[in-house]
Amino acid sequence: MELIIRDLSKRYANGVQASLSTSSAFDGFNGDSLVGIENLTGSAGTDLLVGNADANVLSGLDGTDDLVGYAGDDVLLGGAGRDFLGGYEGHDTLDGGAGIDVAIYSYATNGVNVLLYAGTAFDGTTGDDLISIEDVWGSPGGDQLVGNGDNNVLIGDDGNDDLLGFGGDDILRGGNGRDFLSGGAGGDLLDGGAGQDVAMYSYANGATIDLAQGYGFDGLSTDTIMNIEDVWGSPGGDTIKGDANENILLGDAGDDTIYGGAANDYIKGEAGNDVLYGGVGSDILTGGAGADTFVLENGGGGIYVGRADYIFDYVDGTDKIGLTGGLTFGNLVITQGTGSNAPMADSIIATVGGEYLAELVGVDATLLTNADFVSI
């Protein structure tokens, strides 16, 4: 049997609340008891319709509706308006209908996998079918949320989430946890929320990302970046700039130029001939494969070796040390580690004024000559 409230929709224009799990309904004026009812059709207003353990059909009609399947293999029909659909247990069909509609998975505890482009979702126990859904609210666990060609809003909530906008001008909000956000095509908003979050540009072929200025350009569209601490670049030639936070900046393949900013950063060029600027702070610089340049400048180190940049994989004869900001080879003092200030296998580069700029891991100081340094 189906409870149809539509026929009195003028009277119920302000919406109804009906719950099959509690066998009760309220039409805005009076309460009803529901017996032997499996399906609900709401009003033209804002409805809250909740199913039970049976296979229910919940139809919201017009208005901004909340539909909760509860248990069983349910069919949730949002109708017109911005609707919020949560299937809960069972293999459910979530059909948002007209309007910008939301699939809700906040009930799932272990993370969900939602693919809007494929029309599928998996809540850790069962799969759902998604129709005419534009936005997704994930779970407290680690979620993978992928959009489609529309303008999607993907919210990760808690947990370490992977959010991929796919196409369209999307809004990605990571929430708590370490989240990985990739807008894909379109001009997107990437908001990492709380935690150490990552902007991913591995889909592009050369990108420009500036965390301090809060933007990323993938070669076609510009994204707005908020609450993002780390960046993973593209297979092409990237320009990546950090901010005042401690950043992890990875160039991926291609000839990348990476600037660390003002804190203690980890910078890795990966494959390609990369130029790495640690900037202020004690930074870890790894060039990866290719002929890389590690750039030093006055003010980028400190009065202790521990404040210098840590250059992990300098290869003499292949890589270079770049000097900028008026710094020259004649301003430098190059020594071998003593075992007390640094490992004896490492070289130390300081200025004649006593500022330690870099420690080169496993490099013989006697091999470092003027030919290994370039002005930038």
Side-chain angles (χ1 to χ4, degrees):
M1 182 178 295
E2 178 179 6
L3 179 64
I4 301 180
I5 304 172
R6 175 176 50 191
D7 296 338
L8 302 177
S9 60
K10 291 184 179 180
R11 178 180 176 185
Y12 299 152
N14 293 325
V16 298
Q17 297 182 26
S19 175
L20 297 181
S21 63
T22 61
S23 300
S24 64
F26 180 71
D27 63 11
F29 298 93
N30 301 294
D32 298 323
S33 297
L34 308 180
V35 180
I37 301 295
E38 289 79 29
N39 304 325
L40 295 171
T41 298
S43 74
T46 298
D47 305 317
L48 171 62
L49 307 181
V50 181
N52 56 20
D54 297 328
N56 308 124
V57 178
L58 309 179
S59 180
L61 296 182
D62 295 342
T64 300
D65 306 309
D66 292 296
L67 308 183
V68 180
Y70 200 71
D73 299 338
D74 305 306
V75 177
L76 310 185
L77 307 174
R82 180 166 174 78
D83 305 306
F84 297 80
L85 286 63
Y88 283 71
E89 299 176 15
H91 183 165
D92 306 304
T93 298
L94 281 57
D95 185 347
I100 307 299
D101 305 299
V102 187
I104 303 289
Y105 284 93
S106 55
Y107 66 89
T109 58
N110 295 323
V112 298
N113 183 295
V114 181
L115 309 177
L116 291 183
Y117 72 91
T120 61
F122 180 72
D123 65 7
T125 304
T126 55
D128 296 331
D129 297 318
L130 307 181
I131 303 170
S132 298
I133 297 291
E134 291 74 31
D135 302 341
V136 178
W137 192 316
S139 78
D143 305 317
Q144 181 185 47
L145 310 180
V146 183
N148 55 21
D150 297 326
N151 300 331
N152 307 124
V153 177
L154 308 178
I155 300 176
D157 206 348
D158 294 341
N160 300 329
D161 307 307
D162 293 297
L163 309 182
L164 173 59
F166 202 75
D169 299 334
D170 306 305
I171 297 175
L172 311 184
R173 299 194 186 277
N176 295 325
R178 181 165 174 79
D179 307 306
F180 296 79
L181 282 63
S182 179
D188 308 300
L189 170 63
L190 311 182
D191 182 355
Q196 190 85 8
D197 305 301
V198 188
M200 305 283 293
Y201 283 88
S202 54
Y203 67 91
N205 185 21
T208 300
I209 304 104
D210 191 325
L211 294 183
Q213 297 297 316
Y215 77 89
F217 178 68
D218 63 9
L220 296 174
S221 303
T222 300
D223 300 327
T224 298
I225 294 176
M226 303 169 53
N227 300 312
I228 295 290
E229 293 74 29
D230 303 339
V231 175
W232 192 317
S234 80
D238 305 314
T239 299
I240 302 173
K241 296 182 179 182
D243 59 15
N245 297 304
E246 295 188 351
N247 307 128
I248 298 175
L249 309 175
L250 307 179
D252 206 340
D255 298 339
D256 307 308
T257 302
I258 307 178
Y259 301 82
N264 302 329
D265 306 306
Y266 177 81
I267 302 172
K268 187 174 184 180
E270 303 281 2
N273 303 326
D274 307 306
V275 181
L276 309 183
Y277 293 74
V280 177
S282 179
D283 308 300
I284 299 175
L285 309 180
T286 301
D292 305 306
T293 302
F294 304 92
V295 182
L296 307 180
E297 59 182 317
N298 282 312
I303 61 175
Y304 306 106
V305 176
R307 295 301 303 158
D309 289 339
Y310 192 78
I311 299 177
F312 189 74
D313 65 343
Y314 177 84
V315 178
D316 187 60
T318 300
D319 299 326
K320 298 290 185 181
I321 302 296
L323 303 176
T324 190
L327 191 63
T328 66
F329 182 73
N331 301 136
L332 303 180
V333 176
I334 303 174
T335 60
Q336 200 72 38
T338 64
S340 58
N341 63 353
M344 290 187 288
D346 296 351
S347 296
I348 299 172
I349 301 177
T351 68
V352 293
E355 180 185 2
Y356 291 96
L357 298 178
E359 178 182 341
L360 280 60
V361 176
V363 176
D364 186 343
T366 63
L367 299 178
L368 295 175
T369 67
N370 188 46
D372 296 306
F373 293 79
V374 294
S375 295
I376 294 180

